[in-house]
Amino acid sequence: MRALNHTSTSEFILIGFSAFPHLQLVFFLLFLLMYLFTLLGNLLIMATIRSERSLHTPMYLFLCALSISEIFYTFAIIPRMLADLLSTHRSIALAACASQMFFSFAFGFTHSFLLTVMGYDRYVAICHPLRYNVLMSPRGCACLVGWSWAGGSVMGLVVTTAIFHLTFCGPNEVHHFFCHVPPLVKLACGDNVSTVALGVGLVCISALLGCCLLILLSYASIVATIVRIPSSEGRHKAFSTCVSHLTVVVVHYGFASVIYLKPKGTQSLEGDTLMGVTYTVLTPFLSPIIFSLRNKELKNAMKKSFLSKLSLQTS
């Protein structure tokens, strides 16, 4: 962060939602409800996993870690976005902008790495069930979670350091609702801007594609194993343990591909803002819903836990 002293810009103005002046109150109420639901959904998943001993397995340990990373990711972006929707003064200090970028990328990539680990967990459970307890030991699971968090932190540090070593001069209006790479790169000046932008883009895309490829390989092996199961009941039971994870993967990488792999061209402020909402608000909102509704074991545990507490309160 030493380069912060070498820039002529001391703050930025976030103008992401200025294109919708008459809808800002509506957006505030909608995003606030979605954010609160996201927090409550992830906290409910974590509380259920903690209280139900039957869920003390590697799969639900990873799900709990995923909920934690999702809470931190949304906390890095959405509260500031909600405050700006009600404010006419949308400036953000340079250090605060750098911090927001670091935490959003760190927890965002942690999320991707944990989804990859969860795919590996399902691969071991279905393709190598006899070795599952050895390969997915408590220490091994803790290491996988730790490496996911460490990898996300490294990605956040690399991206933030590269961007904030650039020199920002001229206008300081960021055409987004949080400190994201593309709108900040447009405000940078110097001979190395295009090189840094290309390097950061390649690093991010390579990490996302690498995670996606590992998940695809895991599910290719899973499908090959499932089709060899003789009974239809056995095939259904094996695949049912993967449905919620696979659905979240499709949603997560589907929206991420729209953002990172979109063709270059003139993109309107309205388009950039609405696309940004998909992966900062909508995807975290959908994730706990998918895991709660598509994971039968977790759904039953939630019902059991909720009904038992409700009966205690009424008795």
Side-chain angles (χ1 to χ4, degrees):
M1 300 298 175
R2 290 193 299 259
L4 294 180
N5 297 326
H6 301 289
T7 175
S8 59
T9 301
S10 60
E11 65 177 17
F12 294 109
I13 309 296
L14 301 173
I15 61 171
F17 287 103
S18 62
F20 309 97
H22 304 297
L23 295 175
Q24 292 191 18
L25 182 58
V26 175
F27 282 150
F28 172 81
L29 295 174
L30 176 62
F31 296 155
L32 176 62
L33 290 175
M34 294 176 71
Y35 178 53
L36 292 176
F37 186 90
T38 300
L39 289 179
L40 291 174
N42 283 301
L43 289 173
L44 179 60
I45 288 174
M46 293 163 58
T48 303
I49 293 173
R50 181 182 179 184
S51 61
E52 291 295 323
R53 294 188 61 84
S54 61
L55 301 182
H56 292 181
T57 61
M59 180 173 69
Y60 293 104
L61 168 68
F62 298 140
L63 178 55
C64 192
L66 193 73
S67 293
I68 294 172
S69 72
E70 202 157 69
I71 288 174
F72 284 130
Y73 172 75
T74 54
F75 184 75
I77 299 174
I78 298 180
R80 171 80 200 199
M81 180 186 73
L82 293 174
D84 286 342
L85 282 169
L86 295 181
S87 174
T88 56
H89 184 69
R90 301 185 179 94
S91 65
I92 181 171
L94 203 67
C97 187
S99 297
Q100 187 183 60
M101 178 179 288
F102 168 75
F103 287 116
S104 63
F105 271 90
F107 295 124
F109 275 102
T110 297
H111 197 85
S112 296
F113 296 149
L114 286 172
L115 285 175
T116 307
V117 168
M118 292 174 76
Y120 173 72
D121 171 72
R122 292 299 83 206
Y123 160 75
V124 175
I126 294 174
C127 300
H128 303 284
L130 298 180
R131 300 177 59 196
Y132 183 78
N133 291 332
V134 175
L135 294 176
M136 304 303 295
S137 64
R139 182 177 179 181
C141 293
C143 287
L144 289 173
V145 171
W147 279 112
S148 297
W149 283 79
S153 299
V154 169
M155 289 295 298
L157 187 62
V158 168
V159 172
T160 306
T161 302
I163 295 301
F164 282 88
H165 266 78
L166 295 172
T167 300
F168 298 99
C169 50
N172 64 342
E173 292 184 343
V174 178
H175 287 222
H176 215 288
F177 54 85
F178 76 103
C179 293
H180 196 35
V181 170
L184 282 176
V185 168
K186 293 179 181 177
L187 304 181
C189 53
D191 298 331
N192 62 336
V193 174
S194 58
T195 303
V196 171
L198 179 61
V200 168
L202 288 176
V203 168
C204 293
I205 292 173
S206 298
L208 287 173
L209 289 180
C211 291
C212 190
L213 178 61
L214 290 175
I215 293 173
L216 288 175
L217 290 174
S218 296
Y219 274 99
S221 300
I222 288 171
V223 171
T225 301
I226 288 177
V227 295
R228 292 198 297 267
I229 298 176
S231 66
S232 59
E233 182 180 354
R235 290 193 297 269
H236 176 75
K237 184 177 180 181
F239 186 72
S240 64
T241 64
C242 306
V243 171
S244 58
H245 173 256
L246 188 58
T247 306
V248 170
V249 166
V250 171
V251 172
H252 178 79
Y253 285 101
F255 286 133
S257 63
V258 170
I259 302 302
Y260 289 101
L261 301 179
K262 67 177 181 179
K264 291 184 178 180
T266 56
Q267 182 71 30
S268 65
L269 173 60
E270 295 90 340
D272 281 337
T273 301
L274 293 177
M275 282 203 304
V277 168
T278 60
Y279 65 90
T280 56
V281 181
L282 184 59
T283 302
F285 171 75
L286 293 175
S287 183
I289 296 176
I290 294 170
F291 278 115
S292 300
L293 296 180
R294 301 296 296 176
N295 189 304
K296 187 176 180 181
E297 191 175 8
L298 180 62
K299 182 168 64 174
N300 291 337
M302 284 182 174
K303 288 180 180 178
K304 177 183 174 183
S305 178
F306 178 76
L307 291 175
S308 63
K309 291 179 180 178
L310 188 63
S311 62
L312 287 174
Q313 290 178 354
T314 55
S315 61

